[in-house]
Amino acid sequence: MEPDRWLGIELRHLAALEAVSRTGSFGRAAEALGYTQSAISQQVAMLERLVGEKLVERPGGPRAVSLTEAGGLLLRHAEAITARLAAAHADVTALKAGHAGALDVGIYQSVGARILPALMRRFIGEWPGVDLNLVEVNSDSEPEVVARIEGGDLDLAFWIMPLPEGPLAGVELLEDEYVLVVPSDSDLASRPSARLDALGDTPLIGNQRCRTTLVAEDALRLHGLDPHMSFRSDDNGTVQNLVAAGLGVALVPLLAVAPEDDRIRVLPLDPPIPPRRIALAWHRDRHRSPAARAFAEIAADVCGELRRPVIAA
């Protein structure tokens, strides 16, 4: 039987194809990779022979080269292959480092403000040899976060459940219940709890793109209300300051609130709406270092201590 030609494909062949696609030129691809132009041409030609398909359109003259349909399809697979190679490098580095090395964790705003201070104190105290790197991510940009975990840029990431279908595994840490934040001098502040159907035309303040605001708006619609968003901001502090200034109320998860602010009152909802479920996620097929496992365990302990009923104060 004829040997499988595809087993002869090397990473340098795929790197040459990516560079040609990105630069639109064999010459510029050669400059980007540090090869001669003839070497890039040979690598792409060898890749075409191994695949058995034309991968690059070569119009000649000053016109840019481009990938054929087969070339574009192969490039998409090549990007996944190089991402897994980067993840493998990160895993081997973590395995070699053992109890030292780096740990890259994706975080978002409310986790950073309420969970991380206690979590970091405990983790750094117990794992002083680990270089803990915190990377801010958009909690609503799932594909980007998944790609960074797959590529090895992140070892762990805080996540809002449910986990998507695919390579992620995780542990649920905390149910973050929704509350109504009102000005402390408002009529609503004297109530023990907040009924959504009693809000009427009260102006609402929420986030721009955050999934939590969409959940809150859907809950209001279920109670027959048409949400009137008077202001939007993706900064939790700004949302709270606008409420404190009397410009509206905010229906948000409890972790997004700084409850020590005496300008506002935090009211539980009656009846409650389903809470935001916070988890810590990782790649199910990648090596998890002892430090990564310990971080998850400490995060679960810290979040367990945060579980408490909402009390209007």
Side-chain angles (χ1 to χ4, degrees):
M1 295 178 62
E2 181 184 358
D4 190 343
R5 294 175 302 179
W6 283 68
L7 295 179
I9 295 176
E10 301 177 12
L11 286 173
R12 63 192 180 98
H13 299 149
L14 301 177
L17 181 68
E18 186 280 329
V20 168
S21 173
R22 173 165 43 87
T23 63
S25 161
F26 282 90
R28 287 191 291 271
E31 292 177 2
L33 296 179
Y35 289 106
T36 64
Q37 180 171 336
S38 62
I40 293 294
S41 297
Q42 291 170 10
Q43 289 169 12
V44 172
M46 174 60 74
L47 183 59
E48 289 179 320
R49 288 195 294 273
L50 292 170
V51 172
E53 294 283 347
K54 184 179 181 180
L55 303 175
V56 177
E57 295 286 0
R58 302 166 174 83
R63 289 180 294 172
V65 300
S66 60
L67 298 190
T68 64
E69 183 178 3
L73 177 62
L74 181 60
L75 180 60
R76 289 195 293 275
H77 287 286
E79 290 169 344
I81 291 168
T82 54
R84 290 307 299 267
L85 182 65
H89 178 253
D91 287 348
V92 172
T93 300
L95 181 63
K96 181 179 179 180
H99 286 59
L103 184 65
D104 300 307
V105 181
I107 63 169
Y108 52 88
Q109 190 176 172
S110 55
V111 165
R114 302 294 304 283
I115 295 176
L116 276 182
L119 173 53
M120 288 183 64
R121 281 196 300 272
R122 284 188 51 182
F123 182 82
I124 292 173
E126 296 178 21
W127 293 77
V130 174
D131 182 13
L132 180 61
N133 301 316
L134 303 178
V135 182
E136 289 191 2
V137 298
N138 183 349
S139 62
D140 292 321
S141 182
E142 292 185 354
E144 175 188 348
V145 179
V146 171
R148 297 184 73 169
I149 294 175
E150 284 189 300
D153 291 337
L154 295 175
D155 299 298
L156 304 166
F158 285 92
W159 198 274
I160 298 175
M161 296 286 276
L163 294 175
E165 292 186 7
L168 297 191
V171 57
E172 187 169 332
L173 301 173
L174 181 70
E175 288 192 346
D176 188 15
E177 56 196 304
Y178 280 83
V179 296
L180 189 71
V181 184
V182 304
S184 59
D185 58 357
S186 68
D187 293 338
L188 289 170
S190 61
R191 302 179 185 181
S193 62
R195 293 191 59 85
L196 297 184
D197 56 10
L199 291 180
D201 296 328
T202 305
L204 293 172
I205 299 167
N207 299 119
Q208 296 270 19
R209 297 174 296 273
C210 185
R211 188 195 317 167
T212 56
T213 291
L214 298 178
V215 171
E217 292 180 15
D218 287 344
L220 291 171
R221 293 187 182 96
L222 286 176
H223 285 79
L225 301 176
D226 182 18
H228 169 53
M229 305 301 297
S230 57
F231 295 97
R232 292 184 184 270
S233 172
D234 283 331
D235 182 83
N236 292 336
T238 298
V239 171
Q240 184 159 322
N241 286 332
L242 291 173
V243 172
L247 299 177
V249 300
L251 186 58
V252 296
L254 182 57
L255 284 184
V257 184
E260 65 278 1
D261 187 347
D262 59 9
R263 302 172 302 164
I264 55 119
R265 297 282 301 275
V266 179
L267 304 178
L269 300 179
D270 180 22
I273 63 176
R276 182 176 69 163
R277 297 157 54 215
I278 295 176
L280 192 65
W282 55 82
H283 199 294
R284 68 174 69 253
D285 297 327
R286 287 187 53 200
H287 169 73
R288 275 201 298 152
S289 67
R293 294 178 183 274
F295 187 92
E297 293 172 0
I298 295 172
D301 289 344
V302 168
C303 288
E305 296 167 2
L306 284 175
R307 295 188 183 103
R308 64 191 187 282
V310 183
I311 302 175

